[in-house]
Amino acid sequence: MTKRSAFALLLALLAASPVAGAQAETKAPDKTTTGTTGTPEDATDGAPATIEQPGAVDEERFGGPPADAAYGAFQRGLYMTALNLATPRAEAGDSAAQTLVAEILSRGLGVKRDEAAAAKWYQLAAEQGVPEAQFQYALLLIDGRFVKKDPNGAYALMQSAAEAGNRMAQFNFAQMVVQREPGTAGMTKAVSYYQRAADAGLADAQYAMSQVYAAGVGGKQKDEVQARRWLMLAARQNYDTAQVDLATWLVEGRGGPRDLKAGFEWMKRAAESGNVAAQNRLAKLYMGGIGTEPDATEAAAWYFVARRRGLVDAEMQDFLNGKTEEELKAALERANRLR
């Protein structure tokens, strides 16, 4: 693959998820989960590790530590109480309270969802420089449903939030740069933001960095060792596309030693999470006994699961054609339990 075609591939991969990471960050704080984070040196190859659980919600997302009881109520899931306590402060111009009110309204926590009202509060907090509010309001300006669409305003706010250290803004600003500035200079600029978000532990950005190193673009030399380590970090956070890629690299021995067993375990984890490509590839690993004992029933069952979701593979179809009616029946019964 030429550097130009590698660049085109990377661009397509990164452009596919323009606001990745946003949903994970906007879950209710008492239910938010995250994974292992850090630089590539923190990652080691091997089977899937247990996902770490976070502590308290980062208070900086509200522009600083709120000084009243609203934040404490919010942390405990007492959203109506939090809203009632925060609203007077928000109306008085407190940027942290404005962001808190916006969060509650935008997600419908304890109250009816009111995204239009939330947009107004996000705007007020964004104007006071709260990075989380700037990020959320930038998304609203991109979407244009509750406020007038403003791509240039969104770009400026996203950059401001990114420079302030908001990791989702860093990733999404990189996406915006890639779209606005196609070419080597734009990719190099984008990679600097992907890198910062990846270092801060955002799985989307970690996967992006794996693609940067795999293709050797954006000012980075091609380095499959680095690419594999970034894949590991993203995979540990349940980023299923990274799990599929990592599994493939482990089986092939790309970027490090070949590890068939670990590759099988990562592929199985992605398949069980619902990734259809992983389901088909897991079927092939079972068929060939790669990283596990050969198991024709499991192979056929996982392919049935993938095929039900629209994936048709000629090799696996040939595999099924060689099975008896009883073997196919057993595989179908197994597939029904896998759903």
Side-chain angles (χ1 to χ4, degrees):
M1 180 180 290
T2 66
K3 192 162 186 177
R4 178 175 293 275
S5 60
F7 172 81
L9 173 61
L10 178 66
L11 185 61
L13 287 167
L14 299 184
S17 180
V19 290
Q23 291 300 316
E25 286 292 309
T26 55
K27 294 178 183 176
D30 54 342
K31 296 181 181 178
T32 300
T33 59
T34 187
T36 305
T37 63
T39 59
E41 288 71 26
D42 297 324
T44 56
D45 290 340
T50 301
I51 299 299
E52 296 178 358
Q53 299 299 322
V57 177
D58 182 5
E59 60 194 16
E60 292 303 319
R61 68 185 296 178
F62 300 107
D68 57 27
Y71 181 69
F74 182 81
Q75 282 190 306
R76 297 193 301 274
L78 303 174
Y79 302 121
M80 278 296 297
T81 299
L83 181 62
N84 290 334
L85 290 171
T87 298
R89 294 189 59 144
E91 292 172 342
D94 185 305
S95 62
Q98 290 168 346
T99 309
L100 184 57
V101 170
E103 291 266 311
I104 293 171
L105 294 176
S106 69
R107 292 185 279 161
L109 300 175
V111 296
K112 184 177 180 180
R113 185 188 296 264
D114 190 343
E115 294 178 83
K120 296 177 182 178
W121 288 114
Y122 276 133
Q123 180 181 9
L124 290 172
E127 289 171 352
Q128 296 197 65
V130 178
E132 170 67 13
Q134 290 175 328
F135 169 70
Q136 296 291 353
Y137 194 60
L139 295 181
L140 291 168
L141 291 174
I142 293 170
D143 183 64
R145 283 190 300 155
F146 302 102
V147 298
K148 184 178 180 180
K149 185 175 289 190
D150 183 357
N152 291 331
Y155 186 89
L157 277 178
M158 195 70 78
Q159 183 174 18
S160 180
E163 295 297 348
N166 183 296
R167 64 181 188 169
M168 292 184 300
Q170 289 164 348
F171 176 82
N172 285 283
F173 182 65
Q175 299 285 75
M176 296 172 81
V177 169
V178 168
Q179 293 173 0
R180 282 195 172 207
E181 303 177 36
T184 302
M187 180 59 74
T188 300
K189 179 179 178 181
V191 165
S192 69
Y193 288 94
Y194 286 132
Q195 179 82 60
R196 289 165 64 182
D199 287 339
L202 187 66
D204 303 271
Q206 291 169 341
Y207 181 73
M209 288 305 299
S210 76
Q211 302 307 293
V212 166
Y213 277 110
V217 295
K220 302 291 187 181
Q221 294 294 318
K222 184 173 181 178
D223 186 337
E224 291 194 344
V225 173
Q226 288 291 321
R228 178 159 146 173
R229 289 177 177 176
W230 281 118
L231 282 176
M232 176 63 72
L233 285 169
R236 285 178 172 176
Q237 296 198 72
N238 282 337
Y239 196 100
D240 61 340
T241 304
Q243 290 172 346
V244 174
D245 286 2
L246 176 63
T248 303
W249 283 43
L250 287 166
V251 168
E252 295 176 353
R254 286 185 63 184
R258 195 178 191 197
D259 191 333
L260 300 181
K261 183 177 180 180
F264 171 83
E265 291 297 333
W266 279 112
M267 195 69 78
K268 187 170 185 286
R269 180 161 166 174
E272 290 173 342
S273 75
N275 186 293
V276 66
Q279 291 164 349
N280 186 57
R281 294 185 192 185
L282 182 64
K284 291 184 176 183
L285 294 181
Y286 273 118
M287 181 177 67
I290 300 172
T292 187
E293 291 298 317
D295 191 324
T297 300
E298 285 293 306
W302 278 108
Y303 177 59
F304 279 137
V305 171
R307 194 173 68 175
R308 284 170 178 167
R309 298 182 60 197
L311 190 155
V312 178
D313 184 293
E315 181 182 3
M316 293 307 300
Q317 287 294 130
D318 287 342
F319 174 73
L320 293 183
N321 291 338
K323 298 301 162 191
T324 66
E325 288 188 12
E326 284 193 3
E327 289 172 331
L328 291 174
K329 181 180 178 181
L332 281 169
E333 290 175 351
R334 172 61 179 151
N336 291 335
R337 294 195 298 271
L338 290 171
R339 286 194 303 179

